[in-house]
Amino acid sequence: MLDISVRFDVKALNKQLDALAVKQLPFATAQAINAVAKKLQAAERENMAKVLDKPTPFTLNSVSVKLANKSSLTAMVYVKDIAAAYLLPYEAGGPNKLNARALIKPVGQKVNQYGNLPRTTVKRLAAKKNVFIGKVKTSAGEVDGVWQRSKATRGKKAGLKLLVKFQDAHEAKQRLGYQDLARKVVGASFRRELGAALARAVATAKR
């Protein structure tokens, strides 16, 4: 959740407005806050697409908005819980492991447009008789993953083929900078949005 507040001198503003404009100020303020919140939502999604490696629509769409109204002049831009958990290391630092599970690295397997294995791939591979999941000692050290046994053929010994590798988490290097981006967007656009919203509210108000 992004906790960014905006303060302005209401008394000073009221002195510059006529009675009709003052009456429309709470409504206009809510409209301005919501316009800025939506701008921030779009900016955060755009930033994710730049910083992260092929983020999925689920990740991008996890940035959501709870809108303000004239009786509650607060909007909230937040990341939904599931995505917030695995995106946290890209904001605050730490290992990029999801829910304490190993990272899955495909080896010669078909991946989707985001570079990820389909959810059923590991289960489908493990169901084959010549495939198992476990750790194998190799010349490069112990490797945990999904392995396929191959039979000996003429001129070729029986062996193991790595299909999917399970890796330990590593430190997330990218930083999304939620807070810094939020301050930039709010600071650059709130007063302009408030002026526009107030002008619209006055123009359409019943006199």
Side-chain angles (χ1 to χ4, degrees), residues 20-33:
L20 181 60
V22 170
K23 185 178 179 181
Q24 294 299 316
L25 185 57
F27 174 77
T29 301
Q31 294 296 303
I33 290 172

Side-chain angles (χ1 to χ4, degrees), residues 130-132 134 136 138 143-149 160-162:
N130 63 337
V131 172
F132 69 95
V136 174
T138 71
V143 177
D144 190 9
V146 180
W147 297 87
Q148 184 178 44
R149 297 184 183 90
L160 293 174
K161 179 181 179 181
L162 181 62

